[in-house]
Amino acid sequence: MKAALAKAQKATKGPHPLVQQVLNYGYGETLGVERVASLFHTFLEAKDVASIGSGAAGINEFIDFLEMVQRGGSMLPENSDDEGDNAYDDHYERPDAEEIVGLADTTDHEVECDDGEAASLAESASEGEEAPEDADDAEDFIESSDADEVDDDFETPATAKRQRVLPKALQAPAAGKSANRGPGLASTSGRQSGGREPGNIMSYFSKMPAGSASASATASKSQPQHRTQLHLQRANPLAALLKQPAPRPANAPQTAEEKAMSDLDFANLKVFGNASFRHQQRQVITAVLQEQDVFVLMPTGGGKSLCYQLPAVLSKGVTVVISPLLSLMQDQVQALCEMACGGIPATYLSSQQSKEEALAVYRELRKPVPTCKLLYLTPEQFAKSAALKEVLAGLAQRGLLARLVVDEAHCVSTWGHDFRPDYKELGKIKAASFPGVPTMALTATATQKVQEDITKILKLQRCRRFQVSFYRSKLVLRVVEKEYGMTDEGKPKHMEALIDFIRAQPKGASGIVYCLSREDTEGVARYLQEQGAIPSRHYHAGLTPKQRVEAQNKWQSGQVQVVVATIAFGMGIDKPDVRFVLHFTLAKSLEGYYQEAGRAGRDGLPAECVLFYAKRDVPRLITLLRGVGKRKSKKSFDTGMELLNQMKAYCTETQRCRHALLVEYFGEPFTMGSCRTQCDVCCPALRQAAGHAEAEGADGERALMPGRQRQSGKPGSGSSRARKLAAAGSKALKSAGKGAAGPGAFVSASSMLNNSLTK
Ligand SMILES: Nc1ncnc2c1ncn2[C@@H]1O[C@H](COP(=O)(O)OP(=O)(O)OP(=O)(O)O)[C@@H](O)[C@H]1O
């Protein structure tokens, strides 16, 4: 054996690739290159093998060995079989089958379609157009339901495939990484670099690129208010265990500006690369660090993640984040591990991981003091894995469960637009397994009712609430009449209107078109591509994982201008420069609409959200609510109908500012009364553009009159005029949007519109 080993050593030029990897993680700096190399040989000897593959499994094993040697322990992992079986066998990410209750009387529901949808449903079916009861269509409706798509989304082979690559946080075990930057070394760093307290955040910065520290800092010069209250991370246990810690890398000295920063500003800049906090972030983070229960209601793109990630970095122990989608978790973990500061140790558990991968995570959590700072889980996993509950309870007992974070917390409530049954269990589990652990709930959309549900179900105690205004002042909201039928040229009017709208956008402006069914997305994308020469891709949960990733990447990189998608394209999409989000049919609820439309303009620049409304689309949604194939409960149907009716009311509104409607829907008073230029109700130019006409009734009230009716006396002009109007609205918007609500914007919007109409 020894001879074989010597031969292998001789044959190898330079360190074994596995050793090299481990050195890259920082063990060279802490243990010394030679000692790592020598321990590698001891490791091989102990395993009685001549060599070992340099894959993730080998690396993990070797790192475990390094730690074990330092502790003087056994080489065998503790309870590994037990953990692995439990972790692996749980089918935690499959949502519970919904209780199926037959509807007592379906005619009731037709009666509930208060303004003739039922009649319209029958009518359209008999005409053979868009027949919602059609079997194919019906299947599509099911496919586009929230539950089904979410289901597909979080445990598809795609995600499974992606996970075969061991999460970076584990490849690098965190242990290795933080051995390098770990808080244990921070005290030295703090002293060396100018006076931050021992054991503080300096530990994360030893690998910051030189010079990036303070140049752009605009951090507050005020003294840290909560420094003494922060539970700064303790010394890295690994560093303490290491027998021969190498001299730690010298940090560049802090500048005067950095010294004056609070820990929060400093961590925000150095770890996350943000020069300042956004609205409310500082207050939220401070409350979180004070270990209060916290509820955060912040619009999409507002920066919710930082509100729990930064406290996680500064806190002792592991922060557990419950997130609804596997792909979302993976993206978050990847982003954390790739932070410019050198990476934040984070990982996730998934039923798609290999047994070894799951084991590695469990091992990490069972360490006396895990180096992992954030652990992402799906609610299903959290609710159903006994092994996981036991491990988390163990962490809590050791005082190392920093907090429980429930992201997308609206999923807790049946009134939320993405209800997930397992979210309901979270509060109960917390109370039973680790009571008293601070809890944080975050969402972008929650009505008063949903907020109450979240507070109750998650058992939030003396909860601090933070709400950032729902008003997205840079978004222009419009509802456009969706005209079916054919143009004089024999083309479908609604599709041509869509093309006109997109063509009126600046060249290459990125957008999303939401459709109800998978089939719709494919048809619309094809039409845009073939008839409009608009680079488009469809996206829905029925695509193969490869197709989905490809579509998203092409859109993200700008090769594809428009993604035509079902609501499967949603959570976790973080493209800042989306200039328009079009709904080619109604959303299922105002909450859903707000969330989907809110993907526009995340960069804070003007963007447009247009809903193409046709009354005849409503029955399709009702059919969906009824549940084709699997009947939904009466309660679920009634809830769905209430939400849908609110959505319809938004579409047919002619008096009230659309921003006010949305903001007030979430219980926030809209003190401005009117947005003036940012919706088609308040801005006449946009109103006309939306294809609405004001008709003075006898009582002086305005009534919504679709463009088609208005122009019925002008044969031949209808379709092209309506199309011009829709596109003109966009042009008008460009001016209005630039002015962002100033009076000048309105003037230019009007004149633009007039010019366009007189052409
Ligand atoms: N203080 C800040 N300074 C600069 N950028 C920030 C700041 N906070 C967050 N961001 C950036 O804003 C973007 C949106 O943040 P984040 O993903 O946390 O939003 P969110 O509120 O979770 O949105 P969603 O509800 O859509 O998930 C990210 O690219 C993030 O890096």
Side-chain angles (χ1 to χ4, degrees), residues 4 54 217 380 415 554 576 595 611 644 688 708 728:
S54 54
E380 289 75 21
W415 288 95
K554 290 214 157 146
Q595 179 98 338
L611 193 154
L644 181 58
Q688 282 182 328
R708 186 170 45 178

Side-chain angles (χ1 to χ4, degrees), residues 29 64-65 90 182 214 230 270 309 373 383 434 464 483 492 539 601 637 695 730:
E29 285 157 279
D64 283 343
F65 175 76
D90 284 337
S214 62
L230 303 184
K270 289 281 214 160
Q309 289 174 346
K373 300 310 299 171
F434 24 86
R464 289 282 307 278
E483 281 189 82
Y539 183 106
F637 177 84
S730 257

Side-chain angles (χ1 to χ4, degrees), residues 274 276-278 281 299-306 408 444 574 602:
N274 298 325
S276 60
F277 285 106
R278 285 186 182 161
Q281 282 179 326
T300 172
K304 290 184 284 300
S305 313
L306 188 78
E408 311 288 352
D574 188 18
R602 282 164 73 95

Side-chain angles (χ1 to χ4, degrees), residues 189-215:
S189 166
R191 280 191 297 276
Q192 278 177 349
S193 54
R196 281 184 191 270
E197 298 93 48
N200 74 4
I201 53 174
M202 280 307 296
S203 55
Y204 284 93
F205 316 136
S206 60
K207 281 201 167 173
M208 277 298 288
S212 64
S214 62

